[in-house]
Amino acid sequence: MFNYGKVSIGGEKPVIIAEAGVNHLKDLDLAKRHIIAAKKAGADIIKFQTYSAEKLTTASAPRFWKWSGEHDQKGSQRQSYSILETPEQKFTQDLVKFCEEVDIEFMSTPFDLDAAEMLNNIGSPGFKVASGDLLNVPLLRKLGGFGKPVFLSTGAANLEEIHFGVQQLEQAGATDICIMHCTLCYPTRLSDANLAALRDISSHFPQYVLGLSDHTIGDLTPALSTMFGCRVVEKHFTVDKTLPDSADHWLSVDETELKSLVKKMHSASQAVGNGHKAMLECEIPTRLNARRSLVVNGSIQKGEKFTTSNITCKRPGTGISSRYYDRIIGLTATQDLLDDHLIATEDIMEDAVFK
C-alpha cells in the first residue's frame, strides 16, 4: 500500500485511472475537458502519454494495428505517432496545474528518457510504464531512480519477464510498485481477459499492489477483477468516441460509461469482503432466530431420560443448540416439561456443558 499524491493505492477503496492518452489531440482545451469529465465520473487519476515519435520508433517500423481513421493506410508507426506526439513541455505543465485545480491526480506514461525526466521535473507524483517497455532497461532504471510510485503494465509478458522488469525498478530504487495485469489486444475479448492470472501474479509478487490495465469493451471485466485482488483499474477514456486522429477514441469509455464503471468497481469491491468466512454482525438476528434449539416433543416427566423420541429440533436458536442433540440423549429431566418447551440447562439433572 502506498500513496500516489492524495490517492491511497492498495487500500479498501479501488482506484480508477482514466487513460486519456493522446485523446486530447494536442488541444489544451480538449485535454481540460477530459480532466473535468474524468473527475465528474469519479476517477481518481487521469493519465496521459508523453512521447516523441522519433524516439519511440524507427522510421520504417510497420504498424501492427488496423484502424480506418489513419491518414495514410500504408504508413508506418512513426507517421501515426507523429500526428499526436506530445506538445511542448508547457502543455504538460498546464495539465498538471489544471489537475490540481480540479482535484484529480495527474499521471502520464513516458516513452523515452527525456519524457521521463521532464515529467519528474514538473512534479508528476509517479509514472506508468507501458507493456512494450517492460524490458526497456534504461527507461526502467531512470524511472526507478526517481523513487516515486511506478505502475507497471505486463501485457504480452510471462512471469520471468515481469520479474526482470520489477528487478530493474527495485535495483534503481523503486519501492512503491503496482503490477498491472494486461492483455495487449485492442480490444480484448472477454475470453482473453484471463483475470485469473492476477492470482498468479499475486503469488509471485505478494508485496506489491495488483492492478489491471483493461482493454475489453464495457465494465464487466474491471468489476470482476476485484474478486482476484485487483485494487487499481486503468481504462481508456474519451469525452467523444467520434473524435478523429486517435485510434483510442472508439474503444474508450465516455463520461457516462466511466461513471458506471466507477460505481460497479466500488460495489464489487464491497461485495468481495475480507476473504474470511465468519459470522457478520448483520447475521446475528437471523442466526439466533433461524437456527434450531433442542425442544420437547410431546411431554417429559421429572426423572425421565431424554430420548430421540421425546426431543426434537425447532426454531428459534436461543435455547440449547441442536448441535448438542447427541449429548443430551440419556440425560435426566429435573422437572416436568411440556410440549414445545425450549430445553434449558436447568432442565437437565446432570452437569453438562453446552457451549
Side-chain angles (χ1 to χ4, degrees):
M1 184 172 173
F2 58 89
N3 291 326
Y4 184 89
K6 298 177 183 178
V7 178
S8 177
I9 307 294
E12 291 185 7
K13 180 177 176 287
V15 171
I16 291 83
I17 302 173
E19 156 68 309
V22 291
N23 286 343
H24 52 65
L25 308 182
K26 298 200 292 187
D27 181 324
L28 185 59
D29 289 335
L30 182 56
K32 290 181 177 181
R33 282 179 58 195
H34 279 81
I35 292 170
I36 293 170
K39 174 65 178 181
K40 287 173 62 178
D44 303 283
I45 300 168
I46 183 164
K47 189 181 83 65
F48 299 95
Q49 295 176 6
T50 307
Y51 65 82
S52 157
E54 185 177 352
K55 295 173 183 176
L56 176 61
T57 174
T58 64
S60 59
R63 293 183 183 135
F64 52 91
W65 62 84
K66 294 180 180 179
W67 178 52
S68 60
E70 292 286 3
H71 293 265
D72 179 3
Q73 289 292 321
K74 297 180 180 179
S76 65
Q77 285 191 46
R78 180 178 290 184
Q79 288 173 314
S80 296
Y81 284 116
S82 64
I83 295 173
L84 294 175
E85 62 184 350
T86 310
E88 68 279 1
Q89 178 175 319
K90 186 179 183 303
F91 182 92
T92 308
Q93 287 177 311
D94 289 342
L95 295 186
V96 172
K97 182 179 179 181
F98 193 69
C99 283
E100 292 174 354
E101 295 174 6
V102 174
D103 193 26
I104 187 171
E105 293 298 334
F106 168 89
M107 184 187 289
S108 186
T109 302
F111 285 85
D112 58 72
L113 301 182
D114 290 336
E117 193 73 44
M118 184 270 284
L119 288 170
N120 185 59
N121 290 341
I122 65 175
S124 179
F127 311 92
K128 168 73 187 301
V129 176
S131 294
D133 286 321
L134 178 63
L135 307 180
N136 186 340
V137 173
L139 182 61
L140 294 172
R141 289 176 179 170
K142 169 70 81 171
L143 296 177
F146 292 137
K148 293 181 178 181
V150 177
F151 295 74
L152 183 67
S153 264
T154 61
N158 56 43
L159 282 169
E160 184 277 326
E161 292 170 330
I162 299 173
H163 273 287
F164 179 86
V166 170
Q167 184 182 57
Q168 295 302 310
L169 291 171
E170 291 174 334
Q171 290 177 349
T175 57
D176 298 333
I177 301 173
C178 175
I179 301 177
M180 304 189 74
H181 171 53
C182 175
T183 300
L184 211 56
C185 301
Y186 302 89
T188 298
R189 297 176 299 183
L190 288 178
S191 57
D192 289 327
N194 193 21
L195 290 178
L198 284 160
R199 289 176 176 159
D200 197 15
I201 295 172
S202 179
S203 68
H204 286 83
F205 304 93
Q207 72 274 38
Y208 290 128
V209 178
L210 276 181
L212 171 69
S213 181
D214 182 48
H215 299 133
T216 63
I217 301 297
D219 52 22
L220 175 64
T221 301
L224 289 175
S225 71
T226 61
M227 299 178 63
F228 297 89
C230 180
R231 308 312 302 153
V232 179
V233 164
E234 175 190 43
K235 191 78 171 177
H236 282 271
F237 173 67
T238 184
V239 294
D240 184 351
K241 297 185 181 184
T242 66
L243 287 170
D245 295 333
S246 172
D248 287 345
H249 290 300
W250 72 273
L251 58 78
S252 300
V253 293
D254 58 22
E255 181 181 340
T256 299
E257 292 168 325
L258 182 59
K259 179 179 274 189
S260 173
L261 184 151
V262 170
K263 183 177 181 180
K264 288 182 180 179
M265 279 284 296
H266 290 168
S267 297
S269 180
Q270 289 178 324
V272 169
N274 60 22
H276 302 290
K277 180 58 181 173
M279 181 186 69
L280 301 175
E281 185 176 352
C282 69
E283 297 177 302
I284 293 176
T286 306
R287 175 187 170 101
L288 287 174
N289 291 284
R291 287 194 171 183
R292 304 196 183 210
S293 300
L294 299 175
V295 176
V296 175
N297 181 36
S299 64
I300 298 177
Q301 303 298 312
K302 179 179 179 179
E304 187 178 349
K305 301 289 186 182
F306 294 101
T307 68
T308 57
S309 299
N310 61 21
I311 64 169
T312 189
C313 303
K314 291 185 180 181
R315 295 182 179 184
T318 51
I320 296 175
S321 171
S322 57
R323 71 182 296 170
Y324 299 116
Y325 181 85
D326 289 336
R327 187 175 298 179
I328 198 174
I329 301 299
L331 302 184
T332 309
T334 60
Q335 57 187 324
D336 293 344
L337 303 174
L338 300 178
D339 182 50
D340 233 22
H341 172 75
L342 265 70
I343 301 169
T345 54
E346 56 266 26
D347 298 326
I348 302 169
M349 184 174 298
E350 294 83 358
D351 290 332
V353 178
F354 298 99
K355 292 183 180 179

Short mmCIF file of all heavy atoms in Angstrom, two decimals, residues 98-125:
data_model
loop_
_atom_site.label_atom_id
_atom_site.label_comp_id
_atom_site.label_asym_id
_atom_site.label_seq_id
_atom_site.Cartn_x
_atom_site.Cartn_y
_atom_site.Cartn_z
N PHE A 98 -3.80 22.12 -13.99
CA PHE A 98 -5.26 22.05 -14.07
C PHE A 98 -5.78 20.86 -13.26
O PHE A 98 -6.85 20.94 -12.65
CB PHE A 98 -5.71 21.95 -15.52
CG PHE A 98 -7.18 22.18 -15.71
CD1 PHE A 98 -7.73 23.44 -15.52
CD2 PHE A 98 -8.03 21.14 -16.06
CE1 PHE A 98 -9.10 23.66 -15.68
CE2 PHE A 98 -9.39 21.34 -16.23
CZ PHE A 98 -9.93 22.61 -16.04
N CYS A 99 -5.05 19.76 -13.24
CA CYS A 99 -5.45 18.61 -12.42
C CYS A 99 -5.49 19.01 -10.94
O CYS A 99 -6.37 18.57 -10.20
CB CYS A 99 -4.48 17.45 -12.63
SG CYS A 99 -4.73 16.54 -14.18
N GLU A 100 -4.53 19.81 -10.52
CA GLU A 100 -4.51 20.28 -9.14
C GLU A 100 -5.75 21.13 -8.84
O GLU A 100 -6.36 21.01 -7.78
CB GLU A 100 -3.24 21.10 -8.89
CG GLU A 100 -1.96 20.28 -8.91
CD GLU A 100 -0.72 21.15 -8.79
OE1 GLU A 100 -0.86 22.39 -8.80
OE2 GLU A 100 0.39 20.58 -8.69
N GLU A 101 -6.13 21.97 -9.80
CA GLU A 101 -7.30 22.82 -9.61
C GLU A 101 -8.59 22.01 -9.54
O GLU A 101 -9.50 22.30 -8.75
CB GLU A 101 -7.40 23.83 -10.77
CG GLU A 101 -6.25 24.83 -10.81
CD GLU A 101 -6.30 25.72 -12.04
OE1 GLU A 101 -7.30 25.62 -12.79
OE2 GLU A 101 -5.36 26.49 -12.25
N VAL A 102 -8.67 20.96 -10.36
CA VAL A 102 -9.87 20.12 -10.41
C VAL A 102 -9.89 19.09 -9.29
O VAL A 102 -10.92 18.52 -8.96
CB VAL A 102 -9.96 19.44 -11.80
CG1 VAL A 102 -11.10 18.45 -11.87
CG2 VAL A 102 -10.11 20.48 -12.89
N ASP A 103 -8.74 18.87 -8.66
CA ASP A 103 -8.58 17.90 -7.57
C ASP A 103 -8.68 16.45 -8.08
O ASP A 103 -9.47 15.65 -7.59
CB ASP A 103 -9.59 18.13 -6.46
CG ASP A 103 -9.25 17.35 -5.19
OD1 ASP A 103 -8.06 17.05 -4.98
OD2 ASP A 103 -10.17 17.04 -4.41
N ILE A 104 -7.89 16.17 -9.10
CA ILE A 104 -7.72 14.81 -9.58
C ILE A 104 -6.23 14.64 -9.83
O ILE A 104 -5.54 15.59 -10.21
CB ILE A 104 -8.53 14.55 -10.87
CG1 ILE A 104 -8.48 13.06 -11.26
CG2 ILE A 104 -8.07 15.43 -12.01
CD1 ILE A 104 -9.44 12.71 -12.40
N GLU A 105 -5.69 13.46 -9.57
CA GLU A 105 -4.25 13.26 -9.72
C GLU A 105 -3.85 13.10 -11.19
O GLU A 105 -4.53 12.44 -11.96
CB GLU A 105 -3.79 12.05 -8.92
CG GLU A 105 -3.91 12.21 -7.41
CD GLU A 105 -3.06 13.33 -6.85
OE1 GLU A 105 -2.04 13.68 -7.47
OE2 GLU A 105 -3.42 13.86 -5.78
N PHE A 106 -2.73 13.70 -11.53
CA PHE A 106 -2.16 13.61 -12.87
C PHE A 106 -1.21 12.43 -12.97
O PHE A 106 -0.47 12.12 -12.05
CB PHE A 106 -1.39 14.90 -13.19
CG PHE A 106 -0.53 14.82 -14.43
CD1 PHE A 106 -1.05 15.16 -15.67
CD2 PHE A 106 0.80 14.41 -14.35
CE1 PHE A 106 -0.26 15.09 -16.82
CE2 PHE A 106 1.60 14.33 -15.49
CZ PHE A 106 1.07 14.67 -16.72
N MET A 107 -1.21 11.77 -14.13
CA MET A 107 -0.24 10.72 -14.42
C MET A 107 0.03 10.73 -15.92
O MET A 107 -0.81 11.18 -16.70
CB MET A 107 -0.76 9.35 -13.98
CG MET A 107 0.26 8.20 -14.17
SD MET A 107 -0.45 6.55 -13.83
CE MET A 107 -0.65 6.62 -12.06
N SER A 108 1.18 10.26 -16.30
CA SER A 108 1.48 10.10 -17.71
C SER A 108 2.42 8.92 -17.90
O SER A 108 3.13 8.52 -16.97
CB SER A 108 2.12 11.36 -18.30
OG SER A 108 2.27 11.24 -19.71
N THR A 109 2.38 8.37 -19.11
CA THR A 109 3.31 7.30 -19.48
C THR A 109 4.43 7.90 -20.31
O THR A 109 4.20 8.34 -21.44
CB THR A 109 2.60 6.22 -20.32
OG1 THR A 109 1.51 5.68 -19.59
CG2 THR A 109 3.57 5.10 -20.68
N PRO A 110 5.66 7.94 -19.78
CA PRO A 110 6.78 8.41 -20.59
C PRO A 110 7.30 7.27 -21.46
O PRO A 110 7.45 6.14 -21.00
CB PRO A 110 7.82 8.81 -19.54
CG PRO A 110 7.54 7.91 -18.38
CD PRO A 110 6.06 7.63 -18.40
N PHE A 111 7.61 7.58 -22.72
CA PHE A 111 8.10 6.55 -23.63
C PHE A 111 9.58 6.70 -23.96
O PHE A 111 10.11 5.97 -24.78
CB PHE A 111 7.27 6.56 -24.91
CG PHE A 111 5.89 5.96 -24.75
CD1 PHE A 111 4.84 6.72 -24.29
CD2 PHE A 111 5.66 4.63 -25.04
CE1 PHE A 111 3.57 6.18 -24.13
CE2 PHE A 111 4.40 4.07 -24.88
CZ PHE A 111 3.34 4.84 -24.42
N ASP A 112 10.24 7.65 -23.31
CA ASP A 112 11.67 7.81 -23.52
C ASP A 112 12.26 8.51 -22.31
O ASP A 112 11.53 9.01 -21.43
CB ASP A 112 11.97 8.57 -24.81
CG ASP A 112 11.33 9.95 -24.85
OD1 ASP A 112 11.79 10.84 -24.12
OD2 ASP A 112 10.34 10.12 -25.59
N LEU A 113 13.59 8.56 -22.25
CA LEU A 113 14.28 9.11 -21.08
C LEU A 113 14.01 10.60 -20.90
O LEU A 113 13.84 11.07 -19.76
CB LEU A 113 15.78 8.85 -21.20
CG LEU A 113 16.21 7.39 -21.31
CD1 LEU A 113 17.73 7.29 -21.36
CD2 LEU A 113 15.67 6.57 -20.14
N ASP A 114 13.97 11.34 -21.99
CA ASP A 114 13.71 12.78 -21.88
C ASP A 114 12.30 13.04 -21.36
O ASP A 114 12.09 13.95 -20.55
CB ASP A 114 13.90 13.45 -23.24
CG ASP A 114 15.36 13.49 -23.67
OD1 ASP A 114 16.24 13.43 -22.79
OD2 ASP A 114 15.61 13.56 -24.89
N ALA A 115 11.35 12.24 -21.83
CA ALA A 115 9.97 12.38 -21.35
C ALA A 115 9.89 12.09 -19.86
O ALA A 115 9.20 12.78 -19.11
CB ALA A 115 9.05 11.45 -22.13
N ALA A 116 10.60 11.06 -19.43
CA ALA A 116 10.61 10.70 -18.01
C ALA A 116 11.20 11.83 -17.18
O ALA A 116 10.66 12.20 -16.12
CB ALA A 116 11.41 9.42 -17.80
N GLU A 117 12.30 12.39 -17.64
CA GLU A 117 12.96 13.47 -16.92
C GLU A 117 12.04 14.69 -16.84
O GLU A 117 11.93 15.32 -15.78
CB GLU A 117 14.26 13.85 -17.64
CG GLU A 117 15.19 14.74 -16.85
CD GLU A 117 15.88 14.01 -15.70
OE1 GLU A 117 16.35 12.88 -15.90
OE2 GLU A 117 15.92 14.59 -14.59
N MET A 118 11.41 15.02 -17.92
CA MET A 118 10.51 16.17 -17.94
C MET A 118 9.34 15.98 -16.98
O MET A 118 9.00 16.88 -16.20
CB MET A 118 9.99 16.41 -19.36
CG MET A 118 9.12 17.65 -19.51
SD MET A 118 7.36 17.34 -19.23
CE MET A 118 6.92 16.54 -20.76
N LEU A 119 8.73 14.82 -17.01
CA LEU A 119 7.60 14.55 -16.13
C LEU A 119 8.01 14.64 -14.66
O LEU A 119 7.28 15.17 -13.82
CB LEU A 119 7.01 13.18 -16.43
CG LEU A 119 6.23 13.06 -17.74
CD1 LEU A 119 5.91 11.60 -18.04
CD2 LEU A 119 4.95 13.89 -17.70
N ASN A 120 9.18 14.13 -14.36
CA ASN A 120 9.66 14.20 -12.99
C ASN A 120 9.91 15.65 -12.57
O ASN A 120 9.55 16.07 -11.47
CB ASN A 120 10.95 13.39 -12.84
CG ASN A 120 11.43 13.34 -11.40
OD1 ASN A 120 10.72 12.88 -10.51
ND2 ASN A 120 12.64 13.83 -11.15
N ASN A 121 10.48 16.43 -13.47
CA ASN A 121 10.82 17.82 -13.15
C ASN A 121 9.60 18.70 -12.94
O ASN A 121 9.65 19.67 -12.16
CB ASN A 121 11.69 18.41 -14.26
CG ASN A 121 13.09 17.82 -14.28
OD1 ASN A 121 13.54 17.24 -13.30
ND2 ASN A 121 13.77 17.94 -15.41
N ILE A 122 8.49 18.39 -13.62
CA ILE A 122 7.31 19.23 -13.46
C ILE A 122 6.41 18.75 -12.32
O ILE A 122 5.31 19.28 -12.12
CB ILE A 122 6.49 19.32 -14.77
CG1 ILE A 122 5.91 17.96 -15.15
CG2 ILE A 122 7.34 19.90 -15.89
CD1 ILE A 122 5.00 18.01 -16.37
N GLY A 123 6.85 17.71 -11.61
CA GLY A 123 6.16 17.31 -10.39
C GLY A 123 5.16 16.19 -10.51
O GLY A 123 4.27 16.07 -9.66
N SER A 124 5.29 15.34 -11.52
CA SER A 124 4.38 14.20 -11.61
C SER A 124 4.57 13.32 -10.37
O SER A 124 5.70 13.00 -9.99
CB SER A 124 4.68 13.38 -12.87
OG SER A 124 3.81 12.26 -12.94
N PRO A 125 3.47 12.91 -9.72
CA PRO A 125 3.58 12.09 -8.49
C PRO A 125 4.17 10.71 -8.73
O PRO A 125 4.62 10.05 -7.79
CB PRO A 125 2.12 11.97 -8.01
CG PRO A 125 1.39 13.07 -8.69
CD PRO A 125 2.07 13.25 -10.01
#
